[in-house]
Amino acid sequence: MPELPEVETVRRGLAPAMEGARLQRLELRRPDLRFPLPRDFAARVEGRRILALSRRAKYLLIDFEDDLTIIAHLGMSGSFRIEAEEGANLPGVFHHERSKDEKHDHVVFHLDRPEGVVRVVYNDPRRFGFMELMARSELDTYPAFRDLGPEPVGNRLSADYLATRFAGRSQPLKSALLDQKVIAGLGNIYVCEALWRSHLSPTRKVSTLVTAKGRPKAELAVLTDAIREVIADAIQAGGSSLRDHIQADGTLGYFQHSFRTYDREGKPCLSDGCQGTVERIVQSGRSTFYCRACQK
């Protein structure tokens, strides 16, 4: 599944084409993706202006006037691309062509912009993605959003906050960080990378990062900074293009070339002065990559 940096990369790629545009027509080439598309989907959004693109955890939000929002999830193979009709200019810098199989083009946004009509095409070979439509003012009631923790890039994430969630708990550190109720949008790749940067073992009990008085230890502050930094670096690099993920302009993300531990089983640890080797273990059915020598 795409993680937060990939979704944020897609949001930034689509924003120049979609924000401020009026949805002239919503073309639905099938009635469902992973789930049935919303009832009267096209009729409810056609003719309305797109105010902004935003993101919550791993979900893309397309905000329309009149308090309507499309909630989009890319699933395992979903991607967007931007096309201009003849004579129109694409806004922004997204001019790269990409190979595509049009039989997997399921939803097409026909957008009226000053530069001409632009198409934003949602392509999804496996159809594990989905789209929902609801009032923006009611987003907090959406089942996937109700219990989400703070964003890893927001001001709410702090060592003090994590201390309140970790105190007295024996849960392994990696499992706790993957809990969307603790931190929203943090996934397997970036948890492994953040734990490597902070030299913390994924199997360590979370309570050991909190003092007897419930205060965060210095190690927890280091971890919090590492989470912020690895997410920021991944967004800057355009996300991690593993398997199906691709940016809105058709290019691949580059953060996978900066992995320090993820998917490096059997290779030397890259920590300065460390003589250890990256291992792979399985936690809750997910692969964890870490160095036993320097991550304690």
Side-chain angles (χ1 to χ4, degrees):
M1 294 292 183
E3 296 195 23
L4 185 153
E6 286 74 54
V7 179
E8 178 63 18
T9 298
V10 170
R11 185 197 70 78
R12 294 183 183 190
L14 293 177
M18 299 190 77
E19 290 184 341
R22 189 170 298 279
L23 181 57
Q24 184 185 86
R25 181 163 66 96
L26 182 63
E27 182 181 352
L28 307 176
R29 297 183 176 177
R30 58 176 303 112
D32 58 1
L33 295 171
R34 182 177 178 184
F35 309 118
L37 290 168
R39 185 175 180 181
D40 300 325
F41 193 13
R44 294 167 66 186
V45 294
E46 285 179 344
R48 288 180 166 78
R49 190 173 301 279
I50 297 173
L51 301 179
L53 266 67
S54 55
R55 178 194 51 75
R56 183 69 170 112
K58 304 174 186 180
Y59 295 81
L60 177 70
L61 305 177
I62 305 172
D63 298 326
F64 289 80
E65 57 190 355
D66 299 324
D67 195 37
L68 281 175
T69 294
I70 293 176
I71 303 168
H73 194 284
L74 298 177
M76 296 183 70
S77 62
S79 66
F80 288 93
R81 70 176 185 273
I82 306 168
E83 301 175 340
E85 293 192 358
E86 187 175 353
N89 294 315
L90 286 176
V93 296
F94 296 92
H95 299 284
H96 304 274
E97 294 184 4
R98 62 166 283 192
S99 61
K100 56 186 179 291
D101 188 341
E102 294 187 359
K103 72 171 179 280
H104 300 306
D105 291 348
H106 304 311
V107 179
V108 184
F109 297 78
H110 297 262
L111 304 172
D112 188 7
R113 296 190 54 85
E115 302 90 348
V117 175
V118 172
R119 292 185 296 268
V120 173
V121 183
Y122 178 72
N123 180 286
D124 192 348
R126 301 187 191 182
R127 298 204 312 273
F128 283 173
F130 59 86
M131 295 185 187
E132 303 278 2
L133 181 64
M134 68 181 302
R136 173 77 192 193
S137 57
E138 297 176 1
L139 281 183
D140 287 345
T141 68
Y142 185 64
F145 297 166
R146 274 198 301 252
D147 299 319
L148 282 180
E151 295 276 332
V153 294
N155 292 331
R156 287 179 56 205
L157 179 64
S158 67
D160 287 336
Y161 162 76
L162 288 178
T164 65
R165 302 304 302 261
F166 290 173
R169 300 180 64 190
S170 60
Q171 186 178 15
L173 183 52
K174 188 193 174 196
S175 299
L177 293 176
L178 285 176
D179 184 347
Q180 299 299 293
K181 295 179 181 179
V182 175
I183 303 177
L186 199 58
N188 193 40
I189 293 173
Y190 301 108
V191 169
C192 289
E193 292 293 311
L195 289 174
W196 178 85
R197 292 190 186 200
S198 53
H199 299 291
L200 292 172
S201 170
T203 64
R204 183 168 172 172
K205 293 181 180 180
V206 293
S207 59
T208 64
L209 298 175
V210 184
T211 70
K213 294 184 178 181
R215 300 293 300 161
K217 293 182 179 180
E219 295 162 299
L220 190 52
V222 171
L223 174 60
T224 305
D225 289 342
I227 291 170
R228 291 181 179 279
E229 289 166 4
V230 76
I231 293 295
D233 289 349
I235 291 172
Q236 173 121 24
S240 304
S241 296
L242 302 177
R243 300 184 179 89
D244 298 301
H245 175 67
I246 197 164
Q247 297 183 50
D249 64 349
T251 61
L252 297 174
Y254 295 102
F255 191 73
Q256 72 270 25
H257 301 303
S258 301
F259 289 162
R260 312 307 286 173
T261 186
Y262 185 82
D263 203 26
R264 298 191 69 253
E265 181 183 8
K267 296 181 180 179
C269 177
L270 296 175
S271 291
D272 291 340
C274 183
Q275 302 299 313
T277 300
V278 176
E279 300 178 32
R280 174 185 173 274
I281 61 174
V282 177
Q283 294 178 287
S284 303
R286 308 292 298 278
S287 292
T288 295
F289 299 90
Y290 82 112
C291 174
R292 190 186 302 269
C294 68
Q295 290 180 244
K296 302 298 183 180

